[in-house]
Every structure is written in structure tokens, then in C-alpha cells.
Amino acid sequence: MKLLRYGPVGQEKPGLLDDDGRIRDLSGVIADLTPAEVTLDGIARLQGIDPKSLPLVEGEPRYGVPVNGIGKFIAIGLNYADHAKEAGLPVPPEPIFFTKAISCLTGPNDPVMKPRDATKLDWEVELGIVIGKTCRYVEQADALSHVAGYVLVNDVSERAFQKELGSQWDKGKGCDTFGPTGPWLVTPDEVGDVQALDMFLDVNGTRRQTGNTHTMIFPVAECIAYVSRFITLNPGDLLITGTPPGVGEGQKPDMIFLNPGDTMHLGISKLGEQRQTVIAFDLEHFA
């Protein structure tokens, strides 16, 4: 099942994608797709619905973040060996993780805003996990049974903020619009082997990232189990799992960074695609 939220910003309705790729309206069944609806029990109830029994949504509405009210946004860093190599960093002996601000979440095709004073705006295609059952000291062998579904995420980053203003990565990871998520939350039965998903990201029509989740240093189950030793993960929390090589700061012979007018097109097999255009910072965007 592919669950989604559609409509204008702040007015999204819950929906699902039917077998023909059409949006069906879920608002007659649930008020919204919230953490309470993406528990494992909530997902099971929604999977019992016949999509053809739901109203068809006409046109091509905007997609929002698939879950409204995500509580935590946790990210694993340097989780692909070839990405660590291009960054000039050793393979970490244990997962590195940090937080992205909830306020950076945005729809999958919404604009990405270059912050004031930003000079090194970068891209990162990533596999995201939406938690469906509380994770607290979860064993790796049991970790995947706590997953509600998977999502596509662009971990937009400002490298100067991240690396040149002290040691706090969060500075360059949580700016407004730095978390495009969606278009869908895809349940595990449709994803299959989560360690066999192809990934790509293009900038201005040129392929920059190509990868597959099988090259993760720490697989998805290990990431969940590891984070749960330090931070309790609740239903609706989002955990992203690192990016393959090809980010802007890793380009040779010269780094490439994003500027207003640039476009990104990214995707992960079975999880859909995103398209974003970079815009200049504008306070009126938030009015």
C-alpha cells in the first residue's frame, strides 16, 4: 500500500495510491495520516480497505509530507563506504547519527530555499524509515518488524554551515525546506528487500548520484536497533539512512553546489520520485 497526503500546504487530505497510480481520497475513513494512523495496527486497518471503494481524486494535486505530525527526524551519516571515501573520511566503526529539525520537512516537489549566507548547498538522496511500533533497545533481528513503511527523502545540506561553523552538523541540516519527503509512505510488503533498492539523483538533468541500498555500511535493521539504544523511536518518527556517492562536495575536479534556478530529480525504486527547484531565500515564502 502507498499512503500519501495531498492538497495545498496546511490543507492536506489523506489518500492512497491505487493499482492504476491514481489518488484515492481517505478523508472519509480517517481525518489525516498521523502517527496514530501509521502504527502497525493502523496500517493493518487501512490495508483492509478496497481502494476502489474510495473517491477518486481528479487532476494532479500537490503531494505533502506523507505523515502529519512526525515527532522526530533522525539521520544516519556516512553510511555508504564510497560516500565516506569521497568525503575523505574513514568508514565509521559505529553509526553516526544526528537530528534534522521537524520544521525542515516539506512536500516532495516543493521548492528548496537557499538560506541567507549559504555558499555550499548540497543534495543527498536517502531511504527513509517511518516507525510503526515503539523502538526501545530493539534487537537487530526484530527491528524491521517495527517499520510502518519506507519513504524517499532528500537530505538537503548546507556544507559550510555543517562543517565550517563548529562541529554541530545540525546547523547545516535543519534549515527550512531541507527535508523533502514523499511522495508516498510505502508499506514493507510492497518494498520487499529493503537492502536491494536502486537510487539516483540528477541535478539540472545530469546524473550525480547512482547507488543501491545493498552498499550500506550499516543496514536498515542495524540502524534502527542502534538508534533505539540511545533514543526511543515512536510511531510516526522518521529515520533516514545515509546517501550513496555523488554529492556536490564530492564532485571532481571541482565541487558543485546548488543555486537558485537549479533543479533536482531523485528517486528510489518502489518509493517514487521527487523534483525540486532551488529558490532564493524569501521571508514572504512563509507568509
Side-chain angles (χ1 to χ4, degrees), residues 72-240:
K72 290 189 285 295
F73 190 174
I74 308 293
I76 304 293
L78 294 176
N79 197 24
Y80 288 72
D82 34 14
H83 173 52
K85 181 179 179 180
E86 75 173 353
L89 297 169
V91 172
E94 295 189 25
I96 296 170
F97 68 84
F98 56 91
T99 61
K100 285 177 72 81
I102 297 301
S103 55
C104 82
L105 286 163
T106 188
N109 303 314
D110 293 345
V112 166
M113 184 179 296
K114 184 176 181 179
R116 286 178 177 171
D117 303 319
T119 58
K120 297 180 179 179
L121 188 62
D122 208 343
W123 57 84
E124 293 189 13
V125 57
E126 302 208 13
L127 168 69
I129 305 155
V130 176
I131 300 300
K133 180 181 178 182
T134 299
C135 298
R136 186 179 293 114
Y137 291 99
V138 171
E139 295 295 330
Q140 185 173 334
D142 191 41
L144 296 186
S145 69
H146 290 64
V147 174
Y150 299 97
V151 292
L152 168 63
V153 178
N154 188 354
D155 178 17
V156 182
S157 308
E158 212 300 327
R159 303 301 186 189
F161 294 179
Q162 177 187 355
K163 299 182 177 181
E164 298 171 19
L165 300 178
S167 60
Q168 298 174 33
W169 280 18
D170 294 6
K171 293 176 183 176
K173 292 289 190 171
C175 301
D176 292 323
T177 75
F178 274 25
T181 301
W184 320 303
L185 184 159
V186 186
T187 50
D189 57 297
E190 287 205 16
V191 173
D193 184 357
V194 73
Q195 300 300 158
L197 302 178
D198 290 326
M199 317 165 72
F200 77 89
L201 186 145
D202 298 341
V203 177
N204 297 330
T206 299
R207 181 62 44 89
R208 294 300 181 185
Q209 286 187 278
T210 301
N212 188 286
T213 55
H214 73 78
T215 63
M216 285 182 181
I217 300 167
F218 307 105
V220 169
E222 186 172 358
C223 291
I224 296 170
Y226 187 84
V227 172
S228 78
R229 291 168 49 190
F230 306 96
I231 297 175
T232 297
L233 298 172
N234 296 310
D237 287 349
L238 176 60
L239 173 64
I240 59 176

Side-chain angles (χ1 to χ4, degrees), residues 256-270:
I256 298 174
F257 296 112
L258 297 164
N259 288 296
D262 289 338
T263 61
M264 290 174 282
H265 174 207
L266 57 149
I268 298 179
S269 58
K270 303 182 182 180

